Structures are given as structure tokens and as C-alpha cells.
Amino acid sequence: MDSRRLLRTSATALAAAGLILSGCSGGSGAAAPRTTASAPGASSEAPKLKKFYAQKLKWRDCGVEGFQCATLRAPLDYAKPDGEEVELAVSRARATGPGKRLGSLLVNPGGPGGSAVGYLQGYAGIGYPAPVRARYDMVAVDPRGVARSEPVECLTGPQMDTYTQVDQTPDDTAEVNALSAAFKDFAAGCEKKSQQVLPHVSTVETARDMDILRAVLGDEKLTYVGASYGTFLGATYAELFPDRVGRLVLDGAMDPSLSALDLNRDQTAGFETAFKAFAADCVGKPDCPLGTGTVAAAGEAMKKFFRDLDAKPVPTGESRELGESLATTGVIAAMYDEGAWPQLREALAQAMSGEGSGLLALADSYYERETDGTYANLMSANAAVNCLDLPPAYTGPADVEKAVPSFEKASPVFGAGLAWAALNCTYWPTPPTGRPHRITAEGAAPILVVGTTRDPATPYRWARSLAEQLSSGTLLTYEGDGHTAYGRGSDCIDTAINTYLLEGTPPADGKRCS
């Protein structure tokens, strides 16, 4: 499995709906008033925001070769700009040349909860195409509530271990109550440890932070590549500041018009599509642990495997056993990239033979769990942002039970577990500030929306919908597997995106690549 793509499985490829036991969401925060830019450092926002737009970043060495770091200040509450502030971690790699510098290229890997700084330093700042890095300063800011930027904290490492093992396909009232209690405990932990920042990590607020960074960097327009949830962040920016849109690439697009329930169900179908692609590849190989018959038979074998683990987990060589919940997460982690399929085949074969360490490792990478038992704040930030951005999918367990059949229709393999996963926001301590709605971004420059036909986490239909909603949207399609398309090996996709970033010319609307 390609190590770069494994890194992106956890931090980059997660859509807003991407975490088992963390729920699915997305959507938009409450829209702020549109604004008009003048000089790069100026703002026609409320005068009390001027101090933020006029600040100077103090760049310092990051301890990572080739990168500088700084701290950006922003108001905790944009309605109270004279109140508390948040400090946001920023990093950059300067343009390498040759050629005229085009400004800053801001990148975001998605999540919500993925560290943009970690993504920049671990991949984008060294792995993006050389012609792009030559002309742009590559820049990232960890969104508020994420990683190095006032991180939301909820549970300890041992508590997280317990949380990720809770049965997500309850069979009786006691198991339903146990799952509900787990969500309630998680929410209570977030409120206790992160009470101040928790109401202020919406996508709208993060988009407004991005505009401050744009101005502080000296750019009149924002140039941006967002993946997965990062596409919703980019679209929200375009909605708030359409006249400040430069060249925006939204890769693995989300649909902001959908409710939390519909987002969950659509993504469930996306994982089923990805599983069928994996199964079709697997059954053609003599070592396929799901058999060498049909794709349908492979699906039945996977469901039986999950049922067996629900009844009797298998050892992993450590204190945690591999039960149905962690196994499901491990399988889903491998759906993000076809490069992980050989690793998944091996892990499944081991687990079916009674040794679960391979699937546990995949699940741990997805949850960003370290070998010492500590977790990054990915899951905490993911829930915090999602539960602000949209009203919850359900009012309680009875709603889930009604929805399970439609989820199982969308995915016989993953449906029940993903239906119950969306219960988490029901118990969230801060009320949602956003709502589902179409984003048109009238007046914005051309925006490039990229969709992959068999994307597991952000179904292709979402890309088509977002491109249609945006008044200046252009759709670029990758006919293939995996989550997101840029930098995945398609010269056609990469050339189209590079040309747009370097020359400002988007491909013809509807262009398809394979």
C-alpha cells in the first residue's frame, strides 16, 4: 500500500460523514454577509475586524526542513470581535521557482478534523506537482478546533479505545442504550474539556478565518485546493466572499444542499459502490478471503464475517480485541484507495483465521491512534464541526430504527452500522448554527469541481450537484476508484488541474478522465 495514501486515509480522505461512531454531517453554517475586497490587507468587514486583517505574521522555523510556521489571530466569536481570540497554526513552503510567483496556494485535506499543516508538511508541500510548487507559496492553516489550532478535546486515550469498540449494530434495547450512552458520554466530554471553543468551530467561521489569512498573506484573491470536506469549506468561502475567489479546486466534492440524514445515506451507498469494486477485484484472485465466486457472494461473506465478530471478537496481540466495530472501520479505511486492497485482503484473511492485528492497524490509522494509545483530535473535531454545521439526522433511537432499512438498501454490507453512527449529533451540547442549502456563489470566478465515479466517501453525484449549484462551477470527472482524484496517477486529471492553477483556464465543463 502506498504510504502517502495511507496517511491521507485518516487525515485527508475523510468526508464530513467519514467516521464510524462519529456520525455523518456536512452542510453549511449560517451565512455571514457578503463583502467586497479592496486592497489585499484591507477589509470592509466591521471596523472591529480591521486589527485581524492588518496583523503581520511572524514566520519562524518549524523544525521541518523547507517549512516556516506562524500564528494567525482571529476572533473566537465573529459577533464579538473585541472578545476572546483564537490562535491558528499556519505553515508555508516558499515558492521554489523558476517563474513568476503567483501568490499563495492554500490547501485543506478535509475531515473535518484533518490537520492541514500536517498535510502540507507531509505531502502537499513536497508532493504537489513541481510546476505548481515553483509558482506558489504552499500554505496551510489548521482550522479552529483542529490539531494545532485550539484543538477540541473530548476523551482520554483509554476512553477513546472503549468508545471505538462500542457495538454499532445494536441487536436489543440494552445495546441501543449502551450505544446512546457512549454518544452522550462523548458529547459530555467535549463540553467539559472544550466548552469555550465548541460553539465556534463551524465551517462558516473557518471560512472567515481563511479570508483573514488571505489578506494577511497579501493576496487579493484566494487560490485554494480543498479535498473532501475541504470542498465544502471552499464552497462556503465562495458563498461568503464571491469577489475574492481566485482559482478554487474542490476535489471529492460535497453537496451542501443535503440534510444530515441524506448525506449519511448517500455516503453509505458510496461505500457499497467501493466495496463492490474491491470485491470484483478480490474474487478474481485465488487468495481472496471472500471466496472466488460472485460479488454478491463476497458481500454475503463479508456480512457473515462481521456477524461472527459481533458474537465473538478475535485477538489482536494486545489488550484490544477485534470486534465488529473496529473491523468495519478497518474495512472502510481501505475503501478510500484501491492501493490498500492488497493490504485489506491480507488483513481479512488473517482475521478470518483468528488474528485481527491487520484490520486493527487499518482502523487505528483511520482514527489517527498512535502506538502509545494516544489519539489525534480528528474524531473530536469531526463531531464538533459536523454537529454545528447541520441539524442532527435523528431525534432519538426510534428514528434510527425507522431509517435502518433504507440504509441497508443503500449498503447491505455497511448500512446498519452507518445508520446508527449518525445518532451522535442527537446528544450534542451546542445547538447547530447551519442548515442545508444550495450554494451558488454568484459573481465568483470559475470554480473547478472534481468528482470520482466510484468515490466511497463523497459520491460522484455530489460533485455533479455542487458543480450545477455554483454559478461558475465547472465539472471535471475521474472515471475510477478511490477518494479524490488530484495526484492519484491520472495525467489527464493532473494536467487539467495544473493548467487551471497555473494559467487560470479551467477544462471544458464535463471533461472526463480515466
Side-chain angles (χ1 to χ4, degrees), residues 307-469:
R307 288 195 303 269
D308 290 346
L309 289 178
D310 189 27
K312 185 179 181 181
V314 298
T316 63
E318 59 168 272
S319 60
R320 291 178 299 156
E321 292 184 315
L322 181 76
E324 180 187 18
S325 294
L326 285 172
T328 302
T329 304
V331 172
I332 282 179
M335 295 297 99
Y336 282 85
D337 186 350
E338 67 271 25
W341 291 355
Q343 182 180 355
L344 177 59
R345 288 199 306 272
E346 181 179 356
L348 283 171
Q350 290 176 343
M352 290 176 178
S353 298
E355 205 286 299
S357 60
L359 276 179
L360 182 65
L362 281 168
D364 284 351
S365 73
Y366 193 71
Y367 287 135
E368 293 194 350
R369 183 189 190 272
E370 301 296 336
T371 55
D372 64 1
T374 61
Y375 287 75
N377 89 309
L378 173 66
M379 287 184 67
S380 301
N382 182 273
V385 176
N386 285 339
C387 296
L388 270 187
D389 277 351
L390 276 184
Y394 310 117
T395 61
D399 287 348
V400 187
E401 291 171 349
K402 293 176 183 177
V404 164
S406 66
F407 276 76
E408 290 183 324
K409 181 179 180 181
S411 173
V413 175
F414 304 114
L418 290 177
W420 282 100
L423 183 62
N424 71 322
C425 287
T426 301
Y427 308 111
W428 204 247
T430 53
T433 57
R435 56 177 176 78
H437 68 278
R438 292 171 62 85
I439 291 180
T440 61
E442 294 287 344
I447 297 173
L448 183 56
V449 179
V450 188
T452 298
T453 55
R454 293 185 294 278
D455 192 312
T458 51
Y460 178 63
R461 61 190 289 182
W462 291 0
R464 288 188 303 185
S465 178
L466 181 59
E468 187 274 330
Q469 291 172 45

Side-chain angles (χ1 to χ4, degrees), residues 34 238-239 241-243 245 439-445 447 469-472:
R34 291 182 177 178
E239 180 181 39
F241 310 104
D243 52 346
V245 169
I439 291 180
T440 61
E442 294 287 344
I447 297 173
Q469 291 172 45
L470 291 167
S471 63
S472 59

